[in-house]
Amino acid sequence: MGAAIDHRIRYALADHVTPSGAVMEGMDLAASLTNRATRDAMYETGTALCKAMADLISEERPYDRSQTGSLTEHVEDQLNRLCYAMAWFEEVYRTGRLWPGTPLGDASPDLTIGRLLAAVPTYATDDLAAQSRAAASALAHLRTAYAPEDVHPGPTFVGSADVGGADADMIIGDLLLDVKAKAKATLRREEFYQLIGYALLDYDDRYRIERVGIYLSRFGHLITWTVADYLGLLGCQRPIAELRERCAAALSIH
């Protein structure tokens, strides 16, 4: 669900029709992990999913700032099903395996995009619709302040390869934003370090990150800090530029 709402929010903010690198990698990996008889069906289903998403985004333009960002109930359901299906492929990329009990893990040669989308549970689309409505309000000021071209969905960094691959949720203007679909409004220490870790991997300051933030999608609550304040909360007083140099040096040793 976390990956699905992340994708849904991206489509409301950024003008892009191509799925994230994690989803695309997951599609290739899913096809390679299945048996020969199912491989073509898996590949064709992934290709059809990409096309269906591209067609819907091109036609409905949920990122269009002249619109409120709300979609008709039918279109919202379609988009949420597509986002949830993409999350299944992303899960393959993140874990490196096909999970039994999922439409991809139990796929057979008769797999189609229709069957895949039909397998998305209604409770999931309802949940995503509710979180989408909350995000439309909670993130409205960001949507107004930044044009679609100022939003970078699923960004990777120069240092991503040094940690075996790392992609953040999104960067909106100068804000590095992490979306959490947690049922409780509490965060673990690791999640705080994960957020600043992305900023540290931006060795060349490509994205000019000045702020970091966490959006709790089930609560419609956005929290942001300046990078300096965030580092201070973590007990660090050194500038981000120096920390990036140290991070790059430390990771190059390993």
Side-chain angles (χ1 to χ4, degrees):
M1 185 63 73
I5 189 59
D6 174 24
H7 289 300
R8 176 64 186 88
I9 292 173
R10 293 180 192 184
Y11 287 114
L13 297 173
D15 176 8
H16 72 115
V17 297
T18 305
S20 69
V23 173
M24 299 299 289
E25 291 284 347
M27 289 178 177
D28 289 340
L29 183 57
S32 70
L33 290 175
T34 194
N35 59 65
R36 182 174 298 180
T38 306
R39 192 163 301 154
D40 287 346
M42 184 75 78
Y43 177 78
E44 290 169 6
T45 297
T47 301
L49 181 61
C50 292
K51 184 179 185 306
M53 180 63 86
D55 289 346
L56 186 148
I57 297 301
S58 297
E59 181 175 348
E60 300 296 334
R61 298 168 60 85
Y63 57 83
D64 189 343
R65 300 305 194 262
S66 67
Q67 303 181 43
T68 62
S70 355
L71 303 170
T72 66
E73 184 177 346
H74 173 68
V75 173
E76 183 69 36
D77 181 76
Q78 284 184 304
L79 180 52
N80 288 334
R81 285 183 184 279
L82 291 167
C83 287
Y84 201 88
M86 286 187 172
W88 274 324
F89 281 107
E90 183 171 333
E91 182 181 40
V92 176
Y93 167 73
R94 302 290 181 197
T95 64
R97 60 172 293 189
L98 291 170
W99 290 88
T102 67
L104 301 184
D106 296 342
S108 59
D110 62 355
L111 177 68
T112 63
I113 184 174
R115 290 177 180 272
L116 184 66
L117 296 180
V120 177
T122 300
Y123 76 80
T125 57
D126 290 344
D127 193 354
L128 286 171
Q131 291 185 64
S132 178
R133 289 192 295 271
S137 174
L139 305 180
H141 64 292
L142 291 176
R143 195 169 186 271
T144 300
Y146 297 99
E149 57 266 27
D150 296 323
V151 181
H152 304 278
T156 57
F157 309 96
V158 171
S160 292
D162 291 343
V163 293
D167 57 302
D169 286 345
M170 66 191 80
I171 295 173
I172 307 171
D174 65 353
L175 173 66
L176 171 64
L177 184 65
D178 198 31
V179 178
K180 300 293 186 188
K182 300 167 70 73
K184 294 183 179 180
T186 56
L187 295 168
R188 303 189 311 273
R189 181 191 301 269
E190 293 80 3
E191 291 169 318
F192 280 99
Y193 283 130
Q194 176 189 21
L195 183 58
I196 198 62
Y198 292 133
L200 291 177
L201 293 173
D202 190 22
Y203 297 160
D204 58 352
D205 198 25
R206 172 188 175 188
Y207 294 105
R208 301 290 191 270
I209 298 167
E210 298 290 337
R211 298 177 295 153
V212 295
I214 294 172
Y215 175 61
L216 300 173
S217 62
R218 292 188 182 282
F219 300 90
H221 188 56
L222 173 66
I223 318 145
T224 65
W225 303 265
T226 66
V227 170
D229 285 346
Y230 195 80
L231 288 170
L233 290 172
L234 295 175
C236 179
Q237 301 300 321
R238 298 183 183 276
I240 188 71
E242 179 183 341
L243 293 174
R244 282 171 174 155
E245 290 181 4
R246 291 184 172 218
C247 180
L251 291 175
S252 67
I253 295 175
H254 298 87

